[in-house]
Amino acid sequence: MNNLSLQKPREWKPLEQRSCTDVPWLILFILFNVGMLCICGFAIATGAASRLISGYDSFGNTCGKKNAKIPEIDLSGQDHTNRKYVFFLDPCNIDIMKRKIKSVALCVSKCPDSELRTYQELTSFSSINGSDLCTYDLQPEVYSSHPDRATKCPKLPVHPSGSVAVFHRCMPKDISCYAKFAEAFVSFVSDNSAIHRVIAGVMTAKEIIMALCLLALVLSLVLMLVIRYISVVLVWILTAVVVVGSIGGCGILWWLYVDQGKALNATLTAPELTVAKDNQQALLFYAIAATVFTALLLLLMFFMRKRVALTIALFHVAGKVFSSLPLLALQPFWTFLTLMLFWVYWISVLLFLGTAGSPVRNNQTGLVEFRMDGPLQYMVVYHAVGLVWISEFILACQQMTIAGAVVTYYFSRDKSNLPLTPIVSSLLRLMRFHLGTVAKGAFIITLVEIPRLILTYIQSQLQGKENACARCLLKACICCLWCLEKCLSYLNMNAYTATAINSTSFCTSARDAFFLLAENALRVAAINSVGDFVLFLGKILIVSCTAFAGILSLNYQREYTVWVLPLIIVCVFAFLVAHCFLSVFESVVDVLFLCFAIDTKQNDGSPGREYYMDKSLMEFVENSRSAAERYTKAEGDSREMKAMTGGGTLA
């Protein structure tokens, strides 16, 4: 206890010193990425890349090259130098669960470009194009008479097909072939005509879809400006709507309860009377619950009414930050582009791993599959962990960059004389000093996210098989892990801010940020409740406006018979765009609040300890200080009066 009491509190020195933080974690992250590259190199070295791109048949032969004989596998070791395309005997037989085509695959020199209805047409196609469409042990002249033609030749009729760019697969041009596959994603599709109408509507409306997506982007930028200039009106209107809506909802429920009681006095049959009593009891329960909720909400808003002003001031300052640092608005683009490039790489390596390993005959199908045995099979697990950790690392880099730029803005005495590019300066500081801190924070999120994903996968696999207790337990675990992940993400963001301010390690920054947030718990609650709700309504507003514009646009184009999919695409894109932009706005508000808390803790406005904060935040502090002084003065007067009264009595 004595050591703790003698321990000095953290002395915040914004941007005064820089040092490398969490270097061991940076080394660990680099070694992990070297392992990811080794997995990619292994997949390419074992021929998986060529098998994935060029394709291979069901007997272990790679198309477009001369193959070596595989022991104990018939029809292997074929010379496919002139056969560069993969042809499936039954391309429409798709295994949705395993995401692959359950069919014998052959290497052919040409994909059939017209429909083939009979075995004679198969023979004619083979003789004209030199491309055999049945297995290699059958000659074209015996296609019609061979007893195993049903299993060794393609399913008739053979649909016209074309080769897929880069991957050299013959895929049918008729979309009706994929009706089963489409049903797995589009539940409302029951016939091929619906698929055709939906896809035709999307293709015809592609210009409108692109225009509406651009509209969502513009609306997101406009909303960020609007929040800055009308933040006061917006927050108080929202507060009034919530209060009126809660009270009005309670009143309606109690009115329905009383009205239901009057209905019981009417002449009702026995079954109707039982139903009416049940309804009245349900309404009583709902009315009591709504009343309790409204009372708690009003009490919470009463105690937090003064702290709402801080949320308004922070929103106003956040708008100024975006005006001074316009490159902040581009952060979602760079992050999204980086994530897309990494995900493309990750999926490519995963596909390589799917065709890596040794050829093994499947005893059930008699076809050849490539499998990784022994320790090599854990490469997929390692690769999956890399997906989560590196993705979280990229997102954490964005958070750290935003935090560094906002910290530079806040702790600059002269806001009009900022560095030329604070965003670039923040990114360079991150790359030079704090990559280890970001890697450690991302790893902590990964430790929580991977178990949650595993449990979610188990729940999906046991759908309909597990009992009610197991299902409830799984959902509870998933929910707890999700809540823990969100809490850690919020703490990580504040830890990155503390690192950007004081250049401390992740654990030290997280501890300092946690104690600082705990000291301002009510302010944090006000900002997260009011601020997040305002931003959520902003997202809903952007999606609603975009959807409304989409309905008006499609309404004047009568040839679009199905609007559902174009509108879904537009609304999803609008929500993602709004979420990206407003999430950056939310991050800026969180960083500003931590800077504000540090500023008010370290400074008092006296000479030598001047505040760094903006004028609007200064007004909030002065108003709070005046209110506190009035309260102190009133309390002092009250105590003085009590003392005088006591003295008179004694006299």
Side-chain angles (χ1 to χ4, degrees):
M1 292 293 293
N2 292 332
N3 293 334
L4 290 176
S5 61
L6 294 175
Q7 189 178 19
K8 293 182 179 180
R10 168 68 57 191
E11 184 178 356
W12 297 86
K13 297 180 179 180
L15 303 174
E16 291 185 12
Q17 55 187 10
R18 288 288 126 191
S19 60
C20 294
T21 55
D22 298 297
V23 176
W25 280 93
L26 176 59
I27 296 173
L28 178 63
F29 185 69
I30 292 174
L31 293 176
F32 182 86
N33 281 275
V34 170
M36 294 282 290
L37 294 176
C38 290
I39 291 176
C40 178
F42 168 81
I44 295 175
T46 54
S50 62
R51 282 195 292 269
L52 177 66
I53 296 173
S54 300
Y56 60 96
D57 61 18
S58 298
F59 311 103
N61 302 297
T62 302
C63 299
K65 61 178 289 187
K66 187 175 182 179
N67 297 273
K69 177 69 176 179
I70 302 175
E72 299 181 358
I73 296 179
D74 299 332
L75 301 179
S76 63
Q78 301 286 326
D79 186 0
H80 288 329
T81 306
N82 297 322
R83 299 175 179 177
K84 299 181 179 180
Y85 304 101
V86 181
F87 174 75
F88 298 96
L89 300 188
D90 187 9
C92 300
N93 187 8
I94 300 173
D95 188 345
I96 296 175
M97 295 300 296
K98 296 183 178 180
R99 299 171 295 279
K100 66 180 182 179
I101 299 175
K102 295 173 60 178
S103 170
V104 175
L106 303 173
C107 294
V108 298
S109 57
K110 183 181 179 181
C111 301
D113 52 3
S114 60
E115 189 175 50
L116 306 177
R117 298 182 178 86
T118 64
Y119 290 105
Q120 288 78 13
E121 292 182 356
L122 288 179
T123 303
S124 176
F125 179 84
S126 177
S127 60
I128 294 174
N129 300 288
S131 185
D132 299 338
L133 300 183
C134 295
T135 55
Y136 310 129
D137 57 341
L138 295 185
Q139 298 299 319
E141 54 269 15
V142 300
Y143 285 175
S144 302
S145 57
H146 199 279
D148 296 331
R149 63 184 183 180
T151 57
K152 294 190 174 184
C153 290
K155 182 180 180 181
L156 298 178
V158 178
H159 298 285
S161 59
S163 62
V164 179
V166 180
F167 290 102
H168 303 94
R169 268 71 169 179
C170 297
M171 303 305 292
K173 299 177 181 178
D174 187 5
I175 193 65
S176 63
C177 177
Y178 304 105
K180 181 182 177 183
F181 183 72
E183 287 173 1
F185 298 98
V186 188
S187 59
F188 64 85
V189 172
S190 58
D191 59 349
N192 297 336
S193 60
I195 300 176
H196 283 293
R197 291 200 307 271
V198 169
I199 295 178
V202 173
M203 296 305 296
T204 310
K206 57 182 180 296
E207 291 84 4
I208 292 179
I209 293 175
M210 294 176 63
L212 291 173
C213 291
L214 182 62
L215 174 64
L217 181 64
V218 173
L219 287 176
S220 300
L221 294 172
V222 170
L223 181 62
M224 293 173 70
L225 294 175
V226 168
I227 290 176
R228 172 189 172 183
Y229 290 107
I230 65 168
S231 54
V232 178
V233 179
L234 185 65
V235 172
W236 286 118
I237 288 177
L238 175 63
T239 304
V241 168
V242 171
V243 171
V244 172
S246 301
I247 296 175
C250 284
I252 291 173
L253 285 173
W254 283 111
W255 177 78
L256 290 174
Y257 171 73
V258 173
D259 187 66
Q260 190 71 25
K262 293 179 180 178
L264 290 175
N265 299 327
T267 304
L268 298 174
T269 62
E272 292 176 345
L273 185 62
T274 303
V275 173
K277 287 183 178 180
D278 291 340
N279 290 337
Q280 187 184 32
Q281 291 179 356
L283 285 171
L284 178 62
F285 173 78
Y286 293 146
I288 293 174
T291 303
V292 172
F293 172 78
T294 302
L296 292 176
L297 180 65
L298 293 176
L299 285 174
L300 183 64
M301 298 187 81
F302 175 77
F303 287 112
M304 295 175 61
R305 67 190 188 281
K306 295 180 180 179
R307 293 168 180 84
V308 172
L310 177 59
T311 304
I312 296 171
L314 288 173
F315 270 52
H316 187 72
V317 177
K320 290 185 177 181
V321 171
F322 276 93
S323 299
S324 302
L325 311 176
L327 290 180
L328 272 178
L330 297 179
Q331 286 304 300
F333 292 109
W334 299 118
T335 304
F336 180 76
L337 179 61
T338 306
L339 284 173
M340 283 293 103
L341 292 175
F342 169 68
W343 289 342
V344 168
Y345 162 81
W346 188 88
I347 292 173
S348 301
V349 175
L350 183 65
L351 294 175
F352 291 164
L353 290 175
T355 56
S358 305
V360 178
R361 183 193 296 273
N362 189 321
N363 295 326
Q364 295 181 348
T365 62
L367 307 179
V368 174
E369 299 176 352
F370 290 90
R371 297 177 184 173
M372 293 187 297
D373 298 324
L376 297 179
Q377 60 186 336
Y378 296 107
M379 286 185 177
V380 177
V381 178
Y382 188 98
H383 194 60
V385 173
L387 171 66
V388 181
W389 192 4
I390 297 176
S391 297
E392 290 295 335
F393 176 82
I394 294 171
L395 293 173
C397 285
Q398 172 183 282
Q399 294 174 345
M400 189 74 163
T401 304
I402 293 173
V406 177
V407 165
T408 301
Y409 172 87
Y410 187 96
F411 289 107
S412 296
R413 293 291 183 187
D414 186 3
K415 300 292 190 289
S416 61
N417 191 23
L418 292 171
L420 184 61
T421 51
I423 293 289
V424 177
S425 301
S426 176
L427 181 60
L428 293 176
R429 284 200 305 270
L430 165 64
M431 296 176 66
R432 182 178 177 184
F433 298 108
H434 306 308
L435 285 178
T437 299
V438 172
K440 187 175 183 179
F443 181 77
I444 292 174
I445 299 297
T446 303
L447 286 179
V448 179
E449 190 169 352
I450 288 180
R452 181 177 64 82
L453 294 176
I454 293 174
L455 291 178
T456 304
Y457 175 76
I458 293 174
Q459 183 187 16
S460 65
Q461 293 298 309
L462 297 179
Q463 195 73 30
K465 300 178 182 178
E466 77 278 17
N467 56 36
C469 182
R471 182 169 58 250
C472 180
L473 185 61
L474 273 175
K475 290 183 177 179
C477 291
I478 293 171
C479 181
C480 291
L481 288 173
W482 181 84
C483 294
L484 178 60
E485 181 184 337
K486 294 302 178 184
C487 293
L488 288 176
S489 297
Y490 181 73
L491 183 60
N492 277 12
M493 179 65 195
N494 288 281
Y496 299 147
T497 304
T499 299
I501 295 172
N502 243 16
S503 192
T504 50
S505 63
F506 177 83
C507 291
T508 303
S509 300
R511 182 196 63 196
D512 295 339
F514 176 79
F515 286 129
L516 200 59
L517 294 174
E519 293 174 3
N520 297 270
L522 290 178
R523 288 176 174 177
V524 172
I527 292 168
N528 286 328
S529 57
V530 178
D532 290 354
F533 194 46
V534 169
L535 296 179
F536 174 75
L537 288 182
K539 298 173 188 178
I540 299 300
L541 178 64
I542 291 172
V543 173
S544 302
C545 293
T546 307
F548 182 70
I551 292 173
L552 293 180
S553 302
L554 294 172
N555 185 51
Y556 289 101
Q557 304 292 333
R558 299 295 182 181
E559 65 269 20
Y560 303 149
T561 56
V562 178
W563 293 1
V564 176
L565 194 55
L567 282 178
I568 290 176
I569 293 173
V570 168
C571 290
V572 169
F573 182 84
F575 182 82
L576 290 176
V577 169
H579 177 73
C580 288
F581 278 94
L582 295 181
S583 294
V584 174
F585 193 91
E586 181 182 358
S587 299
V588 170
V589 171
D590 290 337
V591 175
L592 285 173
F593 172 72
L594 195 68
C595 295
F596 168 79
I598 294 169
D599 196 10
T600 53
K601 184 176 183 179
Q602 296 293 118
N603 303 307
D604 56 8
S606 61
R609 298 181 62 186
E610 294 86 359
Y611 289 120
Y612 289 93
M613 65 186 66
D614 188 86
K615 185 183 297 184
S616 55
L617 288 173
M618 191 80 72
E619 292 175 356
F620 168 80
V621 172
E622 290 176 355
N623 293 335
S624 301
R625 184 179 296 171
S626 299
E629 290 175 354
R630 288 196 300 270
Y631 175 78
T632 304
K633 183 178 180 181
E635 189 179 37
D637 293 342
S638 176
R639 289 179 179 176
E640 185 177 352
M641 289 180 65
K642 289 180 181 178
M644 289 176 63
T645 305
T649 305
L650 289 173

